Amino acid sequence: MVSMVADETDRRFAGFFRDLAIAWRALSGYPEGHPAAVDGLARACAALGGLLAETGPVELAAARDALHWNDRRFTSPTAAQLAKLLRRRRAAGVALDPGVSPQELAIFLRSLALDVKSAREAGSLASELVDAGLVRLRVTDLDFSNVALVDADEEVIAPEAGAFAGRVLKRLLASSALPADQLASWIASGRSASDLLYFLFDAGGAPGPGGAAPAGSGAPPASFSFSPALLTAALAACAEELTEAPDSSRAASFAALHQRLGDEDRRRLLGALASSVGRQLTARETLAQMTVNLPPALTVGLRRAIGRGALGELEAGASGAPLGARAAPQLAGLRTAFVSDDVDPLGDTEIPEAGLDLLFELPEDETDFVLEGGAIE
């Protein structure tokens, strides 16, 4: 009996962390009052109410990559993300009493939706919430000796793209998109793997806001030639690298590279990521982890790319191909579009009826089967 109660408590905590992460993403990605944000807050409050009705008031301690309550340690992606956000605001933990309202939860979550620089410049989160009138939701600030540890942790959370870039280049070499001799000449010139990706991204179009050439990158070696096909392959390789293991380190590196691109190439990169997720058998789990670790604006762009990809596959169905070949990409696109709780990317878009009809066609028999006498004894 004790084990069953413990399992139910763990289930309620997991549900609360999940719904709280969804509400945080909705508040970060949508304007105030948007239905997705309102619904996300309502669900998170309902989950919190169910949890507190069973446990009573809860005080969660925030470690670097986990939350603690009594003798329990929660390390799921959503729990770890909440712990990181609290530590980023120099909070040691959060206390939750019965009766927390959606408005109080919204104030709390918005106070966590800061980038690293803004969070470091912000004052005490505990004082901020008290000044906002919150009494049923409180945080405890870290003491000064722990602030340095938080700063060091943040350097780990948002690393440079070096290791990520190196793995991307290995993918380009394995696919023969990047000739080995060109890579050798680049490395021989004293430049890094991340410098090469920066060069590809900057040469492929108008750089984004972070698109200034890195120090020391300069012009490429004379033997190195850029081609649009190489940029396309690099975008796909970045998407595949993140999809393989969408942890916080790879997500931070992916976001840094995304920032270097112009608008059109950013859409191409997110389109490649949506396609890569759609090819996974565990697409729902992969997308859930990405939306926890990627910045909110990127998750919104990814969901929109998933929606565009699903509709594009429907429009591109070749009527002369066999049904199995025609329906496979449509089904894959729709599956990817609906692994997310947010279906807004499909809104306000006319879905071609011909593409939908294709999914309901029955295969035609290509062979006439004849049951000969004596075949059944």
Side-chain angles (χ1 to χ4, degrees):
M1 178 63 70
V2 174
S3 177
M4 292 179 61
V5 172
D7 289 345
E8 176 63 18
T9 300
D10 287 344
R11 186 187 67 79
R12 288 190 180 277
F13 268 108
F16 168 60
F17 294 144
R18 180 196 64 234
D19 290 340
L20 192 68
I22 293 172
W24 177 75
R25 293 198 303 269
L27 285 173
S28 303
Y30 295 102
E32 186 173 356
H34 189 282
V38 173
D39 181 64
L41 284 171
R43 289 175 58 182
C45 275
L48 177 59
L51 171 65
L52 297 182
E54 178 181 327
T55 63
V58 164
E59 291 190 18
L60 294 166
R64 186 176 67 85
D65 57 358
L67 292 172
H68 294 264
W69 178 70
N70 293 344
D71 60 344
R72 288 179 170 83
R73 183 171 186 268
F74 303 107
T75 59
S76 67
T78 49
Q81 177 72 358
L82 177 57
K84 286 194 300 185
L85 293 174
L86 286 166
R87 302 275 297 190
R88 180 177 291 178
R89 287 300 315 265
R90 301 180 176 88
V94 57
L96 302 161
D97 294 339
V100 173
S101 69
Q103 292 73 24
E104 290 174 311
L105 202 58
I107 292 171
F108 170 65
L109 293 177
R110 287 197 180 96
S111 72
L112 300 180
L114 300 180
D115 58 33
V116 174
K117 183 176 183 297
S118 299
R120 287 175 177 171
E121 295 173 351
S124 162
L125 178 58
S127 299
E128 182 180 321
L129 297 184
V130 169
D131 292 344
L134 273 65
V135 294
R136 290 178 289 266
L137 191 158
R138 305 172 303 282
V139 302
T140 304
D141 288 334
L142 284 165
D143 61 32
F144 183 78
S145 63
N146 283 328
V147 171
L149 295 178
V150 175
D151 287 347
D153 289 343
E154 293 299 345
E155 295 304 320
V156 175
I157 291 171
E160 292 297 323
F164 183 90
R167 292 191 294 267
V168 168
L169 291 189
K170 287 182 180 179
R171 290 179 181 273
L172 293 176
L173 284 173
S175 66
S176 300
L178 176 63
D181 59 341
Q182 289 204 33
L183 177 60
S185 67
W186 182 277
I187 299 301
S189 68
R191 298 161 198 174
S192 67
S194 55
D195 285 343
L196 176 52
L197 274 190
Y198 292 153
F199 166 73
L200 293 178
F201 283 11
D202 292 350
S217 63
S223 58
F224 190 93
S225 61
F226 170 81
S227 71
L230 180 54
L231 173 62
T232 299
L235 296 176
C238 288
E240 291 164 1
E241 181 63 28
L242 177 60
T243 303
E244 180 179 277
D247 53 43
S248 59
S249 176
R250 296 193 193 199
S253 298
F254 182 92
L257 291 169
H258 174 271
Q259 185 69 13
R260 298 193 68 84
L261 295 168
D263 291 341
E264 180 57 34
D265 287 329
R266 286 181 182 181
R267 284 190 287 270
R268 292 176 62 195
L269 179 59
L270 289 179
L273 184 59
S275 298
S276 183
V277 172
R279 292 192 293 270
Q280 303 297 306
L281 294 177
T282 56
R284 179 181 293 276
E285 292 78 8
T286 300
L287 183 59
Q289 192 171 356
M290 282 185 184
T291 52
V292 166
N293 289 323
L294 286 172
L298 260 181
T299 65
V300 172
L302 175 57
R303 290 195 295 268
R304 296 190 183 282
I306 288 172
R308 288 194 300 269
L311 296 175
E313 294 290 2
L314 287 173
E315 293 171 340
S319 59
L323 176 64
R326 285 185 285 152
Q330 281 86 337
L331 289 172
L334 288 176
R335 180 188 68 180
T336 311
F338 287 99
V339 297
S340 170
D341 292 325
D342 182 7
V343 295
D344 275 4
L346 294 176
D348 301 325
T349 307
E350 184 177 353
I351 301 178
E353 295 182 4
L356 289 176
D357 290 343
L358 176 63
L359 299 178
F360 293 95
E361 291 181 18
L362 295 175
E364 298 178 359
D365 291 336
E366 298 181 359
T367 305
D368 292 330
F369 294 95
V370 178
L371 184 62
E372 298 180 357
I376 301 178
E377 298 182 359

